[in-house]
Structures are given as C-alpha cells and as structure tokens.
Amino acid sequence: MAREKPAELLTVRQVLDELGGISRRTFYRWRELRIAPRCIRLPNGELRVRRDVLNDWLDKRAEGAAS
C-alpha cells in the first residue's frame, strides 16, 4: 500500500509572493479577520500554509465562483 505524499508546506513569504506580493501586514490583518487561508503554527512559532489549502482558498475567491 503506497503512502500518501505529505502536503507541501509554504512559508508566509512564499504565500505573499504567490498572492502577487501583498504585504505581510495585510496577510496578518486577514488572519485577524479570519479571511486568510488556514495556517499551521509550528512548535517554533512560525506559520505554514498547506499548498492544497491555499489552492482551495484561491479557487473559492475566483470571479464567478459558485458560493
């Protein structure tokens, strides 16, 4: 039985770059408002976003997307 490959974990910097270079401040504001993609907090306090979570988050915000 093949084991599933773990999801790619993106740093906040990588997420910011993928979102067109939004500011870190904007990202953390979105987190406060609970509209940012779900994050994982590592034991060292750093945040990561799973690639599949970011892709789903982006898909839900596409123009003309079904609710």
Side-chain angles (χ1 to χ4, degrees), residues 25 51 60:
R25 180 178 179 160
R51 163 66 65 195
K60 289 177 183 172

Side-chain angles (χ1 to χ4, degrees), residues 10-43:
L10 303 171
T11 65
V12 171
R13 171 56 43 210
Q14 289 172 311
V15 172
L16 300 179
D17 290 345
E18 289 213 17
L19 294 177
I22 67 164
S23 72
R24 186 173 292 268
R25 180 178 179 160
T26 296
F27 181 79
Y28 282 99
R29 178 69 179 145
W30 288 353
R31 280 185 42 83
E32 288 175 13
L33 296 171
R34 298 187 182 274
I35 59 174
R38 271 190 348 258
C39 296
I40 298 168
R41 186 170 299 280
L42 300 178

